[in-house]
PDB file of all heavy atoms in Angstrom:
ATOM      1  N   LEU A   1      -4.957 132.922-183.814  1.00 94.00           N
ATOM      2  CA  LEU A   1      -4.713 131.855-184.781  1.00 94.00           C
ATOM      3  C   LEU A   1      -3.451 132.109-185.605  1.00 94.00           C
ATOM      4  O   LEU A   1      -2.686 131.196-185.893  1.00 94.00           O
ATOM      5  CB  LEU A   1      -5.921 131.695-185.703  1.00 94.00           C
ATOM      6  CG  LEU A   1      -7.171 131.103-185.039  1.00 94.00           C
ATOM      7  CD1 LEU A   1      -8.346 131.167-185.996  1.00 94.00           C
ATOM      8  CD2 LEU A   1      -6.928 129.692-184.564  1.00 94.00           C
ATOM      9  N   ARG A   2      -3.236 133.373-185.973  1.00 92.00           N
ATOM     10  CA  ARG A   2      -2.010 133.701-186.718  1.00 92.00           C
ATOM     11  C   ARG A   2      -0.770 133.443-185.878  1.00 92.00           C
ATOM     12  O   ARG A   2       0.240 132.926-186.368  1.00 92.00           O
ATOM     13  CB  ARG A   2      -2.040 135.157-187.172  1.00 92.00           C
ATOM     14  CG  ARG A   2      -2.964 135.415-188.319  1.00 92.00           C
ATOM     15  CD  ARG A   2      -2.993 136.909-188.646  1.00 92.00           C
ATOM     16  NE  ARG A   2      -4.092 137.234-189.503  1.00 92.00           N
ATOM     17  CZ  ARG A   2      -4.009 137.260-190.833  1.00 92.00           C
ATOM     18  NH1 ARG A   2      -2.879 136.983-191.422  1.00 92.00           N
ATOM     19  NH2 ARG A   2      -5.075 137.567-191.552  1.00 92.00           N
ATOM     20  N   ALA A   3      -0.819 133.807-184.589  1.00 94.00           N
ATOM     21  CA  ALA A   3       0.322 133.561-183.702  1.00 94.00           C
ATOM     22  C   ALA A   3       0.567 132.062-183.528  1.00 94.00           C
ATOM     23  O   ALA A   3       1.718 131.605-183.537  1.00 94.00           O
ATOM     24  CB  ALA A   3       0.080 134.218-182.348  1.00 94.00           C
ATOM     25  N   GLU A   4      -0.507 131.300-183.388  1.00 92.00           N
ATOM     26  CA  GLU A   4      -0.361 129.846-183.246  1.00 92.00           C
ATOM     27  C   GLU A   4       0.224 129.233-184.512  1.00 92.00           C
ATOM     28  O   GLU A   4       1.097 128.361-184.446  1.00 92.00           O
ATOM     29  CB  GLU A   4      -1.714 129.220-182.936  1.00 92.00           C
ATOM     30  CG  GLU A   4      -1.651 127.727-182.708  1.00 92.00           C
ATOM     31  CD  GLU A   4      -3.007 127.131-182.395  1.00 92.00           C
ATOM     32  OE1 GLU A   4      -3.904 127.867-181.944  1.00 92.00           O
ATOM     33  OE2 GLU A   4      -3.166 125.922-182.609  1.00 92.00           O
ATOM     34  N   LEU A   5      -0.242 129.685-185.654  1.00 91.00           N
ATOM     35  CA  LEU A   5       0.280 129.185-186.918  1.00 91.00           C
ATOM     36  C   LEU A   5       1.758 129.530-187.084  1.00 91.00           C
ATOM     37  O   LEU A   5       2.563 128.696-187.515  1.00 91.00           O
ATOM     38  CB  LEU A   5      -0.543 129.749-188.078  1.00 91.00           C
ATOM     39  CG  LEU A   5      -0.202 129.238-189.463  1.00 91.00           C
ATOM     40  CD1 LEU A   5      -0.416 127.733-189.552  1.00 91.00           C
ATOM     41  CD2 LEU A   5      -1.052 129.940-190.498  1.00 91.00           C
ATOM     42  N   ALA A   6       2.122 130.748-186.723  1.00 91.00           N
ATOM     43  CA  ALA A   6       3.533 131.146-186.812  1.00 91.00           C
ATOM     44  C   ALA A   6       4.390 130.289-185.886  1.00 91.00           C
ATOM     45  O   ALA A   6       5.494 129.866-186.253  1.00 91.00           O
ATOM     46  CB  ALA A   6       3.675 132.624-186.465  1.00 91.00           C
ATOM     47  N   TRP A   7       3.882 130.021-184.676  1.00 88.00           N
ATOM     48  CA  TRP A   7       4.631 129.188-183.726  1.00 88.00           C
ATOM     49  C   TRP A   7       4.800 127.775-184.286  1.00 88.00           C
ATOM     50  O   TRP A   7       5.876 127.194-184.187  1.00 88.00           O
ATOM     51  CB  TRP A   7       3.900 129.136-182.383  1.00 88.00           C
ATOM     52  CG  TRP A   7       4.582 128.226-181.420  1.00 88.00           C
ATOM     53  CD1 TRP A   7       5.645 128.518-180.639  1.00 88.00           C
ATOM     54  CD2 TRP A   7       4.261 126.856-181.165  1.00 88.00           C
ATOM     55  NE1 TRP A   7       6.003 127.427-179.904  1.00 88.00           N
ATOM     56  CE2 TRP A   7       5.168 126.385-180.213  1.00 88.00           C
ATOM     57  CE3 TRP A   7       3.290 125.989-181.646  1.00 88.00           C
ATOM     58  CZ2 TRP A   7       5.137 125.092-179.725  1.00 88.00           C
ATOM     59  CZ3 TRP A   7       3.259 124.694-181.168  1.00 88.00           C
ATOM     60  CH2 TRP A   7       4.174 124.265-180.221  1.00 88.00           C
ATOM     61  N   ARG A   8       3.738 127.232-184.875  1.00 84.00           N
ATOM     62  CA  ARG A   8       3.838 125.874-185.437  1.00 84.00           C
ATOM     63  C   ARG A   8       4.848 125.828-186.579  1.00 84.00           C
ATOM     64  O   ARG A   8       5.578 124.855-186.712  1.00 84.00           O
ATOM     65  CB  ARG A   8       2.478 125.401-185.936  1.00 84.00           C
ATOM     66  CG  ARG A   8       1.555 125.017-184.820  1.00 84.00           C
ATOM     67  CD  ARG A   8       0.218 124.552-185.358  1.00 84.00           C
ATOM     68  NE  ARG A   8      -0.708 124.358-184.285  1.00 84.00           N
ATOM     69  CZ  ARG A   8      -1.191 123.187-183.930  1.00 84.00           C
ATOM     70  NH1 ARG A   8      -0.823 122.118-184.579  1.00 84.00           N
ATOM     71  NH2 ARG A   8      -2.035 123.087-182.937  1.00 84.00           N
ATOM     72  N   ARG A   9       4.885 126.858-187.391  1.00 85.00           N
ATOM     73  CA  ARG A   9       5.865 126.879-188.487  1.00 85.00           C
ATOM     74  C   ARG A   9       7.283 126.954-187.953  1.00 85.00           C
ATOM     75  O   ARG A   9       8.186 126.327-188.493  1.00 85.00           O
ATOM     76  CB  ARG A   9       5.588 128.060-189.414  1.00 85.00           C
ATOM     77  CG  ARG A   9       4.397 127.820-190.299  1.00 85.00           C
ATOM     78  CD  ARG A   9       4.202 128.940-191.273  1.00 85.00           C
ATOM     79  NE  ARG A   9       3.030 128.699-192.107  1.00 85.00           N
ATOM     80  CZ  ARG A   9       2.326 129.630-192.672  1.00 85.00           C
ATOM     81  NH1 ARG A   9       2.650 130.899-192.520  1.00 85.00           N
ATOM     82  NH2 ARG A   9       1.284 129.322-193.407  1.00 85.00           N
ATOM     83  N   ARG A  10       7.485 127.736-186.886  1.00 83.00           N
ATOM     84  CA  ARG A  10       8.822 127.828-186.298  1.00 83.00           C
ATOM     85  C   ARG A  10       9.232 126.519-185.641  1.00 83.00           C
ATOM     86  O   ARG A  10      10.392 126.131-185.683  1.00 83.00           O
ATOM     87  CB  ARG A  10       8.880 128.947-185.254  1.00 83.00           C
ATOM     88  CG  ARG A  10       8.946 130.333-185.837  1.00 83.00           C
ATOM     89  CD  ARG A  10       9.286 131.353-184.765  1.00 83.00           C
ATOM     90  NE  ARG A  10       8.475 131.219-183.559  1.00 83.00           N
ATOM     91  CZ  ARG A  10       7.320 131.839-183.324  1.00 83.00           C
ATOM     92  NH1 ARG A  10       6.816 132.630-184.243  1.00 83.00           N
ATOM     93  NH2 ARG A  10       6.670 131.663-182.193  1.00 83.00           N
ATOM     94  N   ALA A  11       8.315 125.836-184.988  1.00 79.00           N
ATOM     95  CA  ALA A  11       8.618 124.643-184.203  1.00 79.00           C
ATOM     96  C   ALA A  11       8.451 123.349-184.992  1.00 79.00           C
ATOM     97  O   ALA A  11       8.645 122.275-184.444  1.00 79.00           O
ATOM     98  CB  ALA A  11       7.728 124.616-182.971  1.00 79.00           C
ATOM     99  N   GLU A  12       8.105 123.446-186.259  1.00 78.00           N
ATOM    100  CA  GLU A  12       7.813 122.249-187.041  1.00 78.00           C
ATOM    101  C   GLU A  12       9.002 121.297-187.103  1.00 78.00           C
ATOM    102  O   GLU A  12       8.853 120.106-186.872  1.00 78.00           O
ATOM    103  CB  GLU A  12       7.394 122.651-188.451  1.00 78.00           C
ATOM    104  CG  GLU A  12       6.973 121.492-189.314  1.00 78.00           C
ATOM    105  CD  GLU A  12       6.481 121.972-190.669  1.00 78.00           C
ATOM    106  OE1 GLU A  12       6.689 123.135-191.021  1.00 78.00           O
ATOM    107  OE2 GLU A  12       5.863 121.158-191.351  1.00 78.00           O
ATOM    108  N   SER A  13      10.172 121.812-187.370  1.00 73.00           N
ATOM    109  CA  SER A  13      11.337 120.935-187.481  1.00 73.00           C
ATOM    110  C   SER A  13      11.676 120.315-186.135  1.00 73.00           C
ATOM    111  O   SER A  13      12.111 119.164-186.060  1.00 73.00           O
ATOM    112  CB  SER A  13      12.534 121.712-188.021  1.00 73.00           C
ATOM    113  OG  SER A  13      12.874 122.749-187.124  1.00 73.00           O
ATOM    114  N   THR A  14      11.458 121.043-185.058  1.00 74.00           N
ATOM    115  CA  THR A  14      11.729 120.498-183.726  1.00 74.00           C
ATOM    116  C   THR A  14      10.785 119.343-183.426  1.00 74.00           C
ATOM    117  O   THR A  14      11.205 118.298-182.921  1.00 74.00           O
ATOM    118  CB  THR A  14      11.563 121.594-182.656  1.00 74.00           C
ATOM    119  OG1 THR A  14      12.421 122.672-182.981  1.00 74.00           O
ATOM    120  CG2 THR A  14      11.897 121.073-181.288  1.00 74.00           C
ATOM    121  N   HIS A  15       9.507 119.517-183.733  1.00 74.00           N
ATOM    122  CA  HIS A  15       8.543 118.453-183.480  1.00 74.00           C
ATOM    123  C   HIS A  15       8.844 117.229-184.328  1.00 74.00           C
ATOM    124  O   HIS A  15       8.762 116.098-183.851  1.00 74.00           O
ATOM    125  CB  HIS A  15       7.115 118.937-183.746  1.00 74.00           C
ATOM    126  CG  HIS A  15       6.614 119.885-182.717  1.00 74.00           C
ATOM    127  ND1 HIS A  15       6.371 119.500-181.419  1.00 74.00           N
ATOM    128  CD2 HIS A  15       6.330 121.201-182.763  1.00 74.00           C
ATOM    129  CE1 HIS A  15       5.944 120.547-180.726  1.00 74.00           C
ATOM    130  NE2 HIS A  15       5.918 121.589-181.521  1.00 74.00           N
ATOM    131  N   THR A  16       9.205 117.433-185.585  1.00 79.00           N
ATOM    132  CA  THR A  16       9.533 116.314-186.455  1.00 79.00           C
ATOM    133  C   THR A  16      10.763 115.593-185.934  1.00 79.00           C
ATOM    134  O   THR A  16      10.801 114.367-185.901  1.00 79.00           O
ATOM    135  CB  THR A  16       9.764 116.807-187.892  1.00 79.00           C
ATOM    136  OG1 THR A  16       8.607 117.511-188.320  1.00 79.00           O
ATOM    137  CG2 THR A  16      10.044 115.661-188.825  1.00 79.00           C
ATOM    138  N   GLY A  17      11.757 116.342-185.496  1.00 81.00           N
ATOM    139  CA  GLY A  17      12.969 115.744-184.944  1.00 81.00           C
ATOM    140  C   GLY A  17      12.687 114.936-183.689  1.00 81.00           C
ATOM    141  O   GLY A  17      13.209 113.837-183.510  1.00 81.00           O
ATOM    142  N   ARG A  18      11.856 115.473-182.815  1.00 83.00           N
ATOM    143  CA  ARG A  18      11.499 114.739-181.595  1.00 83.00           C
ATOM    144  C   ARG A  18      10.735 113.466-181.933  1.00 83.00           C
ATOM    145  O   ARG A  18      10.931 112.429-181.304  1.00 83.00           O
ATOM    146  CB  ARG A  18      10.640 115.614-180.684  1.00 83.00           C
ATOM    147  CG  ARG A  18      11.415 116.675-179.984  1.00 83.00           C
ATOM    148  CD  ARG A  18      10.500 117.419-179.035  1.00 83.00           C
ATOM    149  NE  ARG A  18      11.091 118.685-178.675  1.00 83.00           N
ATOM    150  CZ  ARG A  18      10.407 119.726-178.266  1.00 83.00           C
ATOM    151  NH1 ARG A  18       9.104 119.668-178.161  1.00 83.00           N
ATOM    152  NH2 ARG A  18      11.021 120.839-177.942  1.00 83.00           N
ATOM    153  N   TYR A  19       9.841 113.544-182.908  1.00 85.00           N
ATOM    154  CA  TYR A  19       9.061 112.376-183.307  1.00 85.00           C
ATOM    155  C   TYR A  19       9.989 111.276-183.821  1.00 85.00           C
ATOM    156  O   TYR A  19       9.888 110.127-183.409  1.00 85.00           O
ATOM    157  CB  TYR A  19       8.053 112.775-184.386  1.00 85.00           C
ATOM    158  CG  TYR A  19       7.262 111.622-184.935  1.00 85.00           C
ATOM    159  CD1 TYR A  19       6.160 111.137-184.249  1.00 85.00           C
ATOM    160  CD2 TYR A  19       7.620 111.020-186.132  1.00 85.00           C
ATOM    161  CE1 TYR A  19       5.430 110.064-184.748  1.00 85.00           C
ATOM    162  CE2 TYR A  19       6.902 109.954-186.635  1.00 85.00           C
ATOM    163  CZ  TYR A  19       5.805 109.481-185.946  1.00 85.00           C
ATOM    164  OH  TYR A  19       5.100 108.426-186.442  1.00 85.00           O
ATOM    165  N   VAL A  20      10.894 111.640-184.713  1.00 88.00           N
ATOM    166  CA  VAL A  20      11.815 110.659-185.291  1.00 88.00           C
ATOM    167  C   VAL A  20      12.726 110.094-184.199  1.00 88.00           C
ATOM    168  O   VAL A  20      12.954 108.883-184.134  1.00 88.00           O
ATOM    169  CB  VAL A  20      12.636 111.288-186.431  1.00 88.00           C
ATOM    170  CG1 VAL A  20      13.757 110.367-186.877  1.00 88.00           C
ATOM    171  CG2 VAL A  20      11.732 111.622-187.601  1.00 88.00           C
ATOM    172  N   ALA A  21      13.223 110.954-183.327  1.00 89.00           N
ATOM    173  CA  ALA A  21      14.100 110.481-182.254  1.00 89.00           C
ATOM    174  C   ALA A  21      13.351 109.551-181.312  1.00 89.00           C
ATOM    175  O   ALA A  21      13.895 108.516-180.883  1.00 89.00           O
ATOM    176  CB  ALA A  21      14.659 111.674-181.485  1.00 89.00           C
ATOM    177  N   GLY A  22      12.122 109.882-180.992  1.00 90.00           N
ATOM    178  CA  GLY A  22      11.334 109.019-180.108  1.00 90.00           C
ATOM    179  C   GLY A  22      11.058 107.665-180.727  1.00 90.00           C
ATOM    180  O   GLY A  22      11.170 106.631-180.059  1.00 90.00           O
ATOM    181  N   ARG A  23      10.679 107.652-181.993  1.00 91.00           N
ATOM    182  CA  ARG A  23      10.420 106.382-182.671  1.00 91.00           C
ATOM    183  C   ARG A  23      11.704 105.557-182.785  1.00 91.00           C
ATOM    184  O   ARG A  23      11.681 104.342-182.609  1.00 91.00           O
ATOM    185  CB  ARG A  23       9.846 106.618-184.071  1.00 91.00           C
ATOM    186  CG  ARG A  23       8.493 107.246-184.065  1.00 91.00           C
ATOM    187  CD  ARG A  23       7.488 106.291-183.500  1.00 91.00           C
ATOM    188  NE  ARG A  23       6.188 106.935-183.464  1.00 91.00           N
ATOM    189  CZ  ARG A  23       5.183 106.543-182.733  1.00 91.00           C
ATOM    190  NH1 ARG A  23       5.318 105.504-181.967  1.00 91.00           N
ATOM    191  NH2 ARG A  23       4.053 107.184-182.742  1.00 91.00           N
ATOM    192  N   THR A  24      12.808 106.215-183.080  1.00 94.00           N
ATOM    193  CA  THR A  24      14.082 105.509-183.188  1.00 94.00           C
ATOM    194  C   THR A  24      14.463 104.885-181.854  1.00 94.00           C
ATOM    195  O   THR A  24      14.900 103.734-181.797  1.00 94.00           O
ATOM    196  CB  THR A  24      15.182 106.476-183.667  1.00 94.00           C
ATOM    197  OG1 THR A  24      14.783 107.038-184.925  1.00 94.00           O
ATOM    198  CG2 THR A  24      16.507 105.760-183.828  1.00 94.00           C
ATOM    199  N   ALA A  25      14.293 105.629-180.782  1.00 95.00           N
ATOM    200  CA  ALA A  25      14.621 105.098-179.457  1.00 95.00           C
ATOM    201  C   ALA A  25      13.726 103.918-179.102  1.00 95.00           C
ATOM    202  O   ALA A  25      14.195 102.895-178.586  1.00 95.00           O
ATOM    203  CB  ALA A  25      14.486 106.198-178.412  1.00 95.00           C
ATOM    204  N   ALA A  26      12.440 104.029-179.379  1.00 96.00           N
ATOM    205  CA  ALA A  26      11.518 102.942-179.060  1.00 96.00           C
ATOM    206  C   ALA A  26      11.860 101.672-179.834  1.00 96.00           C
ATOM    207  O   ALA A  26      11.905 100.574-179.259  1.00 96.00           O
ATOM    208  CB  ALA A  26      10.078 103.377-179.356  1.00 96.00           C
ATOM    209  N   TRP A  27      12.118 101.804-181.111  1.00 96.00           N
ATOM    210  CA  TRP A  27      12.469 100.634-181.916  1.00 96.00           C
ATOM    211  C   TRP A  27      13.819 100.059-181.497  1.00 96.00           C
ATOM    212  O   TRP A  27      14.006  98.840-181.507  1.00 96.00           O
ATOM    213  CB  TRP A  27      12.464 100.968-183.406  1.00 96.00           C
ATOM    214  CG  TRP A  27      11.080 100.961-183.975  1.00 96.00           C
ATOM    215  CD1 TRP A  27      10.325 102.036-184.322  1.00 96.00           C
ATOM    216  CD2 TRP A  27      10.266  99.819-184.225  1.00 96.00           C
ATOM    217  NE1 TRP A  27       9.096 101.646-184.768  1.00 96.00           N
ATOM    218  CE2 TRP A  27       9.023 100.281-184.732  1.00 96.00           C
ATOM    219  CE3 TRP A  27      10.455  98.460-184.075  1.00 96.00           C
ATOM    220  CZ2 TRP A  27       7.997  99.410-185.082  1.00 96.00           C
ATOM    221  CZ3 TRP A  27       9.420  97.608-184.428  1.00 96.00           C
ATOM    222  CH2 TRP A  27       8.224  98.087-184.924  1.00 96.00           C
ATOM    223  N   SER A  28      14.763 100.904-181.127  1.00 97.00           N
ATOM    224  CA  SER A  28      16.072 100.427-180.681  1.00 97.00           C
ATOM    225  C   SER A  28      15.939  99.606-179.406  1.00 97.00           C
ATOM    226  O   SER A  28      16.570  98.556-179.265  1.00 97.00           O
ATOM    227  CB  SER A  28      17.017 101.609-180.439  1.00 97.00           C
ATOM    228  OG  SER A  28      17.226 102.308-181.627  1.00 97.00           O
ATOM    229  N   ILE A  29      15.126 100.079-178.482  1.00 97.00           N
ATOM    230  CA  ILE A  29      14.917  99.343-177.239  1.00 97.00           C
ATOM    231  C   ILE A  29      14.245  97.999-177.520  1.00 97.00           C
ATOM    232  O   ILE A  29      14.638  96.966-176.969  1.00 97.00           O
ATOM    233  CB  ILE A  29      14.088 100.192-176.248  1.00 97.00           C
ATOM    234  CG1 ILE A  29      14.926 101.369-175.763  1.00 97.00           C
ATOM    235  CG2 ILE A  29      13.595  99.354-175.075  1.00 97.00           C
ATOM    236  CD1 ILE A  29      14.133 102.416-175.012  1.00 97.00           C
ATOM    237  N   LEU A  30      13.236  97.989-178.380  1.00 97.00           N
ATOM    238  CA  LEU A  30      12.540  96.746-178.714  1.00 97.00           C
ATOM    239  C   LEU A  30      13.483  95.745-179.385  1.00 97.00           C
ATOM    240  O   LEU A  30      13.513  94.567-179.012  1.00 97.00           O
ATOM    241  CB  LEU A  30      11.353  97.049-179.630  1.00 97.00           C
ATOM    242  CG  LEU A  30      10.527  95.837-180.063  1.00 97.00           C
ATOM    243  CD1 LEU A  30       9.853  95.202-178.851  1.00 97.00           C
ATOM    244  CD2 LEU A  30       9.498  96.258-181.086  1.00 97.00           C
ATOM    245  N   ILE A  31      14.259  96.198-180.343  1.00 97.00           N
ATOM    246  CA  ILE A  31      15.191  95.315-181.038  1.00 97.00           C
ATOM    247  C   ILE A  31      16.267  94.813-180.074  1.00 97.00           C
ATOM    248  O   ILE A  31      16.648  93.640-180.113  1.00 97.00           O
ATOM    249  CB  ILE A  31      15.808  96.037-182.256  1.00 97.00           C
ATOM    250  CG1 ILE A  31      14.724  96.216-183.329  1.00 97.00           C
ATOM    251  CG2 ILE A  31      16.996  95.273-182.814  1.00 97.00           C
ATOM    252  CD1 ILE A  31      15.118  97.130-184.470  1.00 97.00           C
ATOM    253  N   GLY A  32      16.736  95.694-179.196  1.00 97.00           N
ATOM    254  CA  GLY A  32      17.720  95.271-178.199  1.00 97.00           C
ATOM    255  C   GLY A  32      17.166  94.220-177.255  1.00 97.00           C
ATOM    256  O   GLY A  32      17.852  93.245-176.918  1.00 97.00           O
ATOM    257  N   ALA A  33      15.922  94.384-176.827  1.00 97.00           N
ATOM    258  CA  ALA A  33      15.304  93.394-175.934  1.00 97.00           C
ATOM    259  C   ALA A  33      15.155  92.048-176.637  1.00 97.00           C
ATOM    260  O   ALA A  33      15.414  90.995-176.036  1.00 97.00           O
ATOM    261  CB  ALA A  33      13.952  93.905-175.449  1.00 97.00           C
ATOM    262  N   ILE A  34      14.752  92.058-177.895  1.00 96.00           N
ATOM    263  CA  ILE A  34      14.632  90.807-178.649  1.00 96.00           C
ATOM    264  C   ILE A  34      15.999  90.153-178.815  1.00 96.00           C
ATOM    265  O   ILE A  34      16.143  88.931-178.653  1.00 96.00           O
ATOM    266  CB  ILE A  34      13.961  91.068-180.022  1.00 96.00           C
ATOM    267  CG1 ILE A  34      12.497  91.454-179.818  1.00 96.00           C
ATOM    268  CG2 ILE A  34      14.090  89.853-180.938  1.00 96.00           C
ATOM    269  CD1 ILE A  34      11.814  91.953-181.073  1.00 96.00           C
ATOM    270  N   PHE A  35      16.997  90.948-179.120  1.00 96.00           N
ATOM    271  CA  PHE A  35      18.351  90.421-179.280  1.00 96.00           C
ATOM    272  C   PHE A  35      18.848  89.795-177.975  1.00 96.00           C
ATOM    273  O   PHE A  35      19.395  88.684-177.978  1.00 96.00           O
ATOM    274  CB  PHE A  35      19.299  91.534-179.734  1.00 96.00           C
ATOM    275  CG  PHE A  35      20.726  91.094-179.805  1.00 96.00           C
ATOM    276  CD1 PHE A  35      21.169  90.322-180.862  1.00 96.00           C
ATOM    277  CD2 PHE A  35      21.630  91.444-178.815  1.00 96.00           C
ATOM    278  CE1 PHE A  35      22.490  89.901-180.930  1.00 96.00           C
ATOM    279  CE2 PHE A  35      22.944  91.030-178.872  1.00 96.00           C
ATOM    280  CZ  PHE A  35      23.380  90.260-179.932  1.00 96.00           C
ATOM    281  N   LEU A  36      18.653  90.501-176.865  1.00 95.00           N
ATOM    282  CA  LEU A  36      19.110  89.971-175.576  1.00 95.00           C
ATOM    283  C   LEU A  36      18.360  88.697-175.193  1.00 95.00           C
ATOM    284  O   LEU A  36      18.967  87.749-174.676  1.00 95.00           O
ATOM    285  CB  LEU A  36      18.959  91.027-174.487  1.00 95.00           C
ATOM    286  CG  LEU A  36      19.964  92.172-174.542  1.00 95.00           C
ATOM    287  CD1 LEU A  36      19.640  93.227-173.486  1.00 95.00           C
ATOM    288  CD2 LEU A  36      21.372  91.653-174.349  1.00 95.00           C
TER     289      LEU A  36
END
């Protein structure tokens, strides 16, 4: 559990970045489709 917690703390910013990038890409595609 300590190792898992340490890994989550190290990878937290990466996961947050991936989440934001994924949501941004999804919304960009949706807005682009509506625009087109």
Side-chain angles (χ1 to χ4, degrees):
L1 290 172
R2 285 176 194 268
E4 183 180 338
L5 185 61
W7 176 82
R8 285 180 188 247
R9 285 184 181 154
R10 284 192 312 269
E12 184 176 13
S13 62
T14 303
H15 288 293
T16 304
R18 285 184 198 156
Y19 176 81
V20 170
R23 294 292 178 199
T24 302
W27 280 106
S28 298
I29 291 168
L30 180 65
I31 290 169
I34 292 170
F35 175 77
L36 287 175

